[in-house]
Amino acid sequence: MSAQAKLRQERTAFYRFFHAGRGDSPFKRLLIHLALIFSCVVAVYPVLRVFSVSLRPGNRLLSTSLAIIPDDASLGNYIRLLTEKDFLLWIWNSLVITMATAIIGVILAATSAYAFSRWKFPGRSAGLVFLLTTQMIPAAMLMVPIYIMAARLKLINTYIGLTIAYCVSSVPFSIWILKGYYDTVPIDLEEAAEIDGCSKISSFLRVLLPLSTPALAIVFLFNFMTAWNDFMLARIMLQQEAMLTWTLGLQRLQGQFQTEWGMFAAASILVMVPVMSLFLYSSKWLISGLTLGAVKG
Amino acid sequence: MGGLTPQTITRSLGQVGITVIFILVATVVIELALYFLLGKALRSKYTLPFMLVAPAAIGLALLVVYPIGFEVALAFSNMSLKTFKNPTFGLVQGWNNFKTVFTQPVLKQVGFFPIFFHTVLWTVINLVFHVTGGMALALLLNRPMRLRGLYRTLLVFPWAIPQVIACLAWRGEFHFEYGFVNVMLTRLGLTPIKWLTNPFWNFAAICITNIWLGIPFMAVIFLGGLQSIPRDMYEAAEMDGASAWQQFRNITLPLMQPVMTPAIILGTIWTFNNFNVPFFINQNELETSDILVTALFRAAFEYNRYGFSAAFAIVIFAILFIFAVLYIRATGGLKGVYE
Amino acid sequence: MKKLVGILTIMVVASLLLTGCPKATPAAAKEVKITLWTKEGEADNALQFVKALCDAYHAQHENVTFEVVNKDVETLREDFQTASLAGMPPDLLWTVNDHAGPFTTADIIQPVDNLFDLSKYVDSAVAAVKLNGKTWGVPIANGNHLMLLYNKDLIAEAPKDTDELFAKGKELASGEQYGLVWNQTEPFWLVPWLGGFGGAVFAEDGKTPTLNTPEMVATLKFLHDMKYDAKIIPPESDYNGADTLFKEGKAAMIINGDWSLGGYKDILGDKLGVAPIPKVTATGQWPKPYTSGVFFMLPKGLSGDKLEVVKDFITFVTNKDNQLEMVRKLTRLPALKEALSDPLIASDPILKGSAEQMTYGTPMPTVVEMRCNWDAMKPEMQAVLADTKTPQDAAAAMQAAAEACIAALE
């Protein structure tokens, strides 16, 4: 074998390592798996440590033991959280607000993105730049004016203000994703439907939307996460006990110096469940739906 | 209060019902108004797109435009705790605020420029790791293999868990006595690291946390991009004798550009403005680990320098805006998004 | 004549009863809803205590309902300022005394001198919210002060002075065990020692920082010695770290506040000892931890029915029974003189230790300038403890930072 041919073979092997799945040598595959397993451990380990704290009785945040399941593991923190605290109420409130936000947010973004993708209306590019600029505003600075606005409009202690604020705050990113996705769907399909007698709106509803399921799922996921994880807005908008969301409820477990870390950790694990299940459910769309810009091959 | 009772359940549902009805009514009113104004009166051919955009646009205007106006007004005032009830407004006050941002310490000792430098350093370090880490994972995953679904699921963990909880979890890992790294170092007989008090290691700690948080998002976006690159392009290149690196350089990178540019721009903005990580990990409030937004938060809420911090906020916003414009100009990278 | 007197008496009594009746239950009158913001959280059962008080008051006065909102200390301050700016403040605050500084500067709370008989409260507590010649809050609990807590399994008696502290600490420090732990991140743990060395953070006027003094240098040097010479404290320790070490029996002594007493009592039981922070041998003075406690504060615009209800509610919360109930439930020292002298406190060794420490305490300054002092001390104290700055340099830097910060407040 000539040196050049050998070099080429090595290069091809290198290429395969990065680009192809076929024909990798078992050793290479082992390496890839090891790298991925290592990454997964790094990704999951901190969460496992939280889980470990939640199993420790007696409110001990810190321990030099690296065991995930402590020797004296108990579900006491979970039981206390569910029985002594209004945890279920907090979760319920969060869930209700979050679902409303996610549904309304998707509708809001889906329709706007349709306009941005299919029409060159005046102000369109200015609008898209504006969407990007909204992401640049330091969020902490919006809190005081938003509070004052909400107080004057009597929206404190209602879900209206909060839901609208959540929907709107995730709208720029949602529009961006959806527009990116719509752009990859050939317009011919809609035109064909229009020739068959569909109106613009019904071709949108019947042709474009069903084809955009992946992106819609991702936008739903994003809206869900925005509302589910928010603390700052909820903190200024909600005060009544019966209305608290889980982020606010969890904060109550923290005193000025003292914190009930055991229950805090247990709650952290439980609140991850809805988001994780949503991620799992939408994982088949996650890769294809998150289109920030189209690859034109 | 009694937890989750039928009353509280119906109360929540009622609240949401009101919300939905309110939004529906508002939307119908807006749409009808636009329909008659644009469609019937002006006969605009863009009636439909305007109607489609209107609800989101009005919502954004309310949520963003009013607060920005409020902040701009504050930036031209001398409002602080001492002038809380009756601040005075004017160009002089505005000039003073903006001058103070650049000439006096923003926090206790550190002035604007060092913090700006930290912020740039922080953004660059994070972005470099997010992009390379994300790309590496995406390349590893972009192949048919066993356990691929499981890996993908586990790898998005950092993205899926609430950021504040992730920050608290990491803060525990950086604890001197009980944190993972130091426990490992001690077991190996090495000197444990002072994550809390040493400026360098503290900065490293916030970077590590944020890199961990940000890689999955990039990996997912890049994986989507990689998957849409037609395989035959590589096969053709391989026949021409292109090396793996050349293929990556000449096929993958250019084709990924439309995906990478917006991801990098968004990543930059989000990292630049990331509040949670530097705020929650930096327990000792070391000024060497503060970035612009955390400094802004402290100036506004801990020192109540309202006028000053509004001016400061506008400066931060302007920096990002200029960056984005320059970046877009330089790469032409938003064509895929704008056209 | 006797009959007449009798009839008259009956009539007077009857009329008193008749007119008295509606007065005792103005319930029929007006519905009043009071929004109370409190810094008390659930972690130490304090929020439950606040709610129980509100429920008890509601049971007596059915027309009064409460909405208790729990906010973290800093959040409460920020949100109260914002809410006042929006013109919709809550009706009553249950918070810490240092909020009086920012709130009076912003002119958003009202003085209480003419609303309550303040003489029945402990003088040092009332003094903690005096500013510009007026009193800005009604004390609920007194204290919030640091003290020395020790684990009797590891150390039989608390050290009397710092020499003994170092000597005993050295004996106890071995391997994973430390002699003493405390939160090395907050200057709140530095101030007691500063007092012990004869220093104070403000000059006589109460608002000019005096941080670059020989006393401060001596204090910083003392803390540095504690760590690097005597090696009785951990190389790095925040609140949770110190707390965990003490709870796990890996630290013989901890310097912590009265809020932590309940938690430690649950874990250590009889083995928990409480004593004043040991006397500084070099000066022969006791360290002076800051005392502050918890206060009711009234927002500026509060008036009319709400003000009347709030006044009555405050009197109710600070009556002797409820004060003693607080002592039992939260292990905090009461602010009412009558309750403080109750045998309940003298008979409990932990409360007695806490009360003894408090006599050496000094009220925490409430002026807004204090915020600058805290922020100036924090990084420099940390730098000395990290061995990256000399005490002299750190003290000079503290003073410079505090002055710069105060200048920026204008």
Side-chain angles (χ1 to χ4, degrees), chain C residues 15-34:
Chain C
S15 67
L16 271 179
L17 278 178
L18 280 174
T19 53
C21 245
K23 251 189 188 167
T25 49
K30 258 184 189 166
E31 293 290 323
V32 181
K33 190 175 171 206
I34 301 294

Side-chain angles (χ1 to χ4, degrees), chain A residues 33-51:
Chain A
H33 278 283
L34 282 181
L36 284 170
I37 289 171
F38 174 75
S39 310
C40 287
V41 169
V42 173
V44 175
Y45 187 75
V47 183
L48 288 181
R49 289 270 280 186
V50 176
F51 180 63

Side-chain angles (χ1 to χ4, degrees), chain C residues 303-322:
Chain C
S303 60
D305 287 342
K306 282 198 168 179
L307 181 63
E308 289 311 312
V309 170
V310 162
K311 271 168 68 179
D312 192 48
F313 176 67
I314 291 176
T315 314
F316 169 78
V317 170
T318 55
N319 71 24
K320 192 180 172 192
D321 288 347
N322 283 326

